[in-house]
Amino acid sequence: MIEESGKRRRTMAEKRQLFMEMRAQNFDVIRLSTYRTACKLRFVQKRCNLHLVDIWNMIEAFRDNGLNTLDHNTEINVSRLETIISSIYYQLNKRLPSTHQISVEQSISLLLNFMIAAYDSEGHGKLTVFSIKAMLATMCGGKILDKLRYSFSQMSDSNGLMIFSKFDQFLREILKLPTAVFEGPSFGYTENSVRACFPQQKKVTLNMFLDTLMADPPPQCLVWLPLMHRLAHVENVFHPVECSYCRCESMMGFRYRCQQCHNYQLCQNCFWRGHANGPHSNQHQMKEHSSWKSPAKKLSHAISKSLGCVPTRDPPHPVYPEQPEKPLDLAHIVPSRPLANMNDAMVSHVSSGAPTPTKRLQQSLGPSDGLSDEHVLIAAYVSQLQSSTRSVLDSPSRLDEEHRLIARYAARLAAEAGNVTRPPIDLGFNFDANKQQRQLIAELENKNREILQEIQRLRLEHEQASQPTPEKAQQNPTLLAELRLLRQRKDELEQRMSALQESRRELMVQLEGLMKLLKHHQHTRTTKPFIKQLKTERNYWRS
């Protein structure tokens, strides 16, 4: 009982940790709800390290965890959600350099508790697939254009038209984020939210959707979304201007210039908190600047604009075709069935050589009908890894591909053993209830580690064989003598080249002097053939 109560208290403390840190930032002093909401969500994004995960990496994580094959209303329990979040952060650490590694466990705990607080306030212990996709695709890093394109793909039909019921569901899910950071009264979901975004259009295409959500200003319920992305872009922007209120000699982030008061500028902290002095008032119109231009650049821009040299402003987004693009065929990346000629070649190659790690894996698992293609596929991949170069072995995509192959192999084995007719993706939801499958996965992971160790050993042997060590060079006096002769010959050639260059420079100086003397006697006929000869010699030495 004592242990359970202690564990419960730790869980509650972890749930409150992110919100306590957010309150310590004192965001509530910001007077404008739009900036207040954007700052809070930006803080959550950075604290959970979601700003390091690009939208394309997030889509890849959805596919790796099978979310792309599930219905949007499918419910996922907390343990499965933790598995998805763990895969996102572990893949992130693989992409980051060793000096910028994140704390995976802490990031998982913070993000998991925030998602539960935002989307499972009633404590059911389950979240829908659409809630997970909408939240993670909104809070991750990347361009807002790519995020909106992905969100539209989840709400459109096969003809590329938006389904209003799904857009309404999207607004319900995405507007839970401001509510989670205590900004529900300003940006909570209402029944008129959809009509506020698309009041008249009956058919909404991708271009219409982007025009509406990326407009200036965007719909009122989503005005915080582009601002959160602008905050990320201006965090490190420097303005060498003095703030008219706090007298800070430089600004970071946004800069605000009054349209009525002459040369009155405020930093973002003073503007957000409503500070004003002198003749300036908070009722004056302010212009937001996200970059700094020197007076010289402003003058040149004004002159170019007056002369018509400034190009027209680019559209907010490219125009996409009305019909949706066909999905990419990814069968060549992880083929469902290996080619016949590759099967024959790889089987003969593996059977003729010494027992490889893949052979030991097959022998330990024993014969299995209907799995020869999977055996050959893994054998071909391991043989390819053993014969590849160092750059290929170090590629993380190769390791990820191997993990996917072994995961599919394990799912196929479990389906054959249990005579299961459903697709392998359904097995992911029964891992916690089936101990036999978990043991099988653990055994395959051990075999995978053995294969990786074997690959590492072969790579080291290849490096040692291809690169002669200093000890070998010292044991071969003939090689050392040849190296000394080559260095000596190289030094002699360099000295000879320097001497020739110096002689060439001296001759050029002498020829130029003679040419100057002979220019004074060009009126005499007797000197003309001699001058022509000197010019020919000068051109020869120059060439």
Side-chain angles (χ1 to χ4, degrees):
M1 294 295 293
I2 297 176
E3 293 180 357
E4 292 180 359
S5 60
K7 184 177 181 181
R8 192 178 300 110
R9 284 196 299 270
R10 287 194 300 271
T11 304
M12 294 299 296
E14 291 176 353
K15 289 182 179 180
R16 293 193 300 265
Q17 179 183 355
L18 183 63
F19 296 101
M20 292 173 64
E21 293 179 0
M22 185 177 65
R23 286 194 180 97
Q25 299 295 319
N26 203 18
F27 291 124
D28 291 329
V29 300
I30 302 176
R31 63 187 181 96
L32 300 176
S33 60
T34 303
Y35 287 94
R36 190 168 59 244
T37 304
C39 288
K40 289 181 178 180
L41 292 177
R42 175 61 178 168
F43 172 79
V44 173
Q45 183 190 47
K46 294 180 65 177
R47 189 66 183 86
C48 296
N49 290 311
L50 281 175
H51 66 295
L52 301 175
V53 183
D54 192 79
I55 178 62
W56 304 111
N57 301 130
M58 192 64 72
I59 296 173
E60 182 182 2
F62 294 159
R63 293 182 179 276
D64 290 342
N65 289 275
L67 297 185
N68 59 319
T69 61
L70 301 177
D71 186 77
H72 284 170
N73 297 322
T74 303
E75 293 184 341
I76 292 179
N77 56 26
V78 176
S79 61
R80 177 64 175 166
L81 175 61
E82 186 176 2
T83 302
I84 297 172
I85 297 175
S86 301
S87 66
I88 293 172
Y89 285 119
Y90 280 115
Q91 289 297 326
L92 171 62
N93 254 359
K94 289 182 180 179
R95 296 189 297 269
L96 293 177
S98 58
T99 55
H100 293 75
Q101 297 287 297
I102 65 170
S103 176
V104 174
E105 298 297 332
Q106 186 181 26
S107 301
I108 293 172
S109 175
L110 292 175
L111 179 57
L112 181 64
N113 290 317
F114 178 75
M115 294 183 67
I116 293 174
Y119 293 94
D120 188 29
S121 57
E122 299 180 358
H124 296 302
K126 293 182 179 180
L127 278 74
T128 62
V129 172
F130 195 75
S131 299
I132 296 172
K133 287 184 175 181
M135 185 272 173
L136 293 178
T138 303
M139 294 296 293
C140 69
K143 298 179 180 179
I144 186 173
L145 174 64
D146 298 331
K147 294 183 180 182
L148 294 177
R149 287 180 60 196
Y150 173 73
S151 299
F152 185 83
S153 68
Q154 303 298 304
M155 300 179 289
S156 58
D157 57 13
S158 58
N159 296 322
L161 300 177
M162 188 182 73
I163 303 174
F164 276 84
S165 60
K166 289 190 176 181
F167 179 67
D168 181 76
Q169 185 182 1
F170 171 74
L171 286 182
R172 288 177 185 269
E173 301 300 337
I174 198 176
L175 292 180
K176 289 179 181 178
L177 293 172
T179 305
V181 293
F182 314 108
E183 296 297 333
S186 301
F187 300 105
Y189 172 82
T190 61
E191 295 180 356
N192 296 326
S193 298
V194 178
R195 296 179 182 177
C197 297
F198 301 99
Q200 298 177 354
Q201 289 89 343
K202 295 183 180 180
K203 294 182 179 180
V204 178
T205 61
L206 173 60
N207 294 315
M208 295 179 183
F209 180 78
L210 296 177
D211 289 338
T212 301
L213 270 66
M214 297 183 68
D216 188 16
Q220 181 60 31
C221 60
L222 296 175
V223 68
W224 51 270
L225 181 59
L227 179 58
M228 185 178 71
H229 288 78
R230 295 207 308 272
L231 281 174
H233 293 156
V234 303
E235 284 181 347
N236 298 320
V237 174
F238 176 77
H239 305 268
V241 182
E242 182 183 16
C243 177
S244 300
Y245 182 85
C246 67
R247 300 302 177 185
C248 180
E249 296 182 356
S250 60
M251 304 180 190
M252 294 292 292
F254 286 120
R255 174 171 55 92
Y256 298 89
R257 187 183 185 92
C258 182
Q259 300 298 293
Q260 299 181 23
C261 303
H262 175 67
N263 200 23
Y264 190 90
Q265 302 186 78
L266 293 176
C267 62
Q268 64 179 18
N269 291 331
C270 294
F271 176 75
W272 291 352
R273 286 157 176 78
H275 294 162
N277 59 348
H280 178 72
S281 172
N282 289 329
Q283 304 302 322
H284 291 180
Q285 184 179 3
M286 303 289 287
K287 185 176 181 180
E288 184 180 88
H289 295 272
S290 59
S291 61
W292 163 256
K293 289 183 179 179
S294 63
K297 287 186 178 180
K298 291 181 181 178
L299 179 61
S300 63
H301 181 78
I303 295 174
S304 301
K305 187 175 181 181
S306 63
L307 297 175
C309 300
V310 178
T312 58
R313 183 173 296 180
D314 296 333
H317 66 84
V319 179
Y320 297 98
E322 297 296 332
Q323 294 295 327
E325 300 178 358
K326 294 182 179 181
L328 296 176
D329 184 12
L330 303 179
H332 64 281
I333 297 179
V334 183
S336 57
R337 285 289 184 271
L339 299 175
N341 56 356
M342 187 177 70
N343 290 351
D344 300 336
M346 289 300 132
V347 167
S348 61
H349 173 73
V350 175
S351 61
S352 61
T356 61
T358 307
K359 272 193 172 183
R360 293 195 294 269
L361 175 61
Q362 296 177 2
Q363 294 172 2
S364 61
L365 292 175
S368 176
D369 296 335
L371 299 179
S372 59
D373 291 339
E374 301 291 341
H375 287 293
V376 172
L377 183 59
I378 295 180
Y381 182 74
V382 175
S383 177
Q384 181 184 0
L385 280 178
Q386 291 177 352
S387 60
S388 60
T389 59
R390 179 179 180 181
S391 61
V392 176
L393 289 171
D394 290 340
S395 176
S397 60
R398 293 287 182 177
L399 299 178
D400 294 341
E401 183 181 355
E402 183 180 6
H403 286 296
R404 287 196 295 270
L405 290 174
I406 295 180
R408 197 183 74 208
Y409 180 74
R412 185 75 175 273
L413 280 177
E416 291 289 336
N419 294 326
V420 181
T421 59
R422 59 187 178 181
I425 193 63
D426 294 336
L427 297 175
F429 299 97
N430 297 327
F431 282 156
D432 295 332
N434 196 327
K435 294 183 179 179
Q436 183 178 2
Q437 293 180 10
R438 291 203 305 270
Q439 292 176 357
L440 180 60
I441 293 296
E443 292 176 1
L444 288 172
E445 289 178 351
N446 293 332
K447 296 295 183 181
N448 183 35
R449 282 192 292 270
E450 292 180 3
I451 292 173
L452 293 178
Q453 291 176 0
E454 183 73 15
I455 293 171
Q456 185 69 17
R457 185 184 64 80
L458 291 173
R459 186 180 67 181
L460 293 176
E461 290 180 358
H462 176 72
E463 291 177 355
Q464 294 175 359
S466 60
Q467 297 180 358
T469 60
E471 296 179 356
K472 292 182 180 180
Q474 292 177 1
Q475 295 175 1
N476 194 345
T478 306
L479 180 61
L480 290 175
E482 292 179 357
L483 289 174
R484 291 194 193 97
L485 291 174
L486 288 174
R487 291 195 188 98
Q488 185 178 359
R489 180 60 176 168
K490 176 176 174 292
D491 295 338
E492 293 176 355
L493 291 174
E494 289 179 352
Q495 293 176 1
R496 179 62 176 168
M497 181 64 69
S498 300
L500 289 174
Q501 291 289 343
E502 187 64 27
S503 301
R504 179 177 176 274
R505 281 194 293 270
E506 293 177 356
L507 289 173
M508 287 298 299
V509 171
Q510 294 176 6
L511 285 172
E512 292 293 340
L514 291 174
M515 288 298 298
K516 289 180 181 179
L517 292 175
L518 292 175
K519 280 181 180 179
H520 298 288
H521 305 284
Q522 288 183 357
H523 60 280
T524 60
R525 297 179 180 179
T526 57
T527 58
K528 288 182 179 180
F530 188 60
I531 292 172
K532 185 177 181 181
Q533 182 180 359
L534 286 176
K535 287 183 178 180
T536 305
E537 292 180 359
R538 185 184 65 176
N539 294 333
Y540 171 78
W541 284 105
R542 282 184 175 179
S543 62

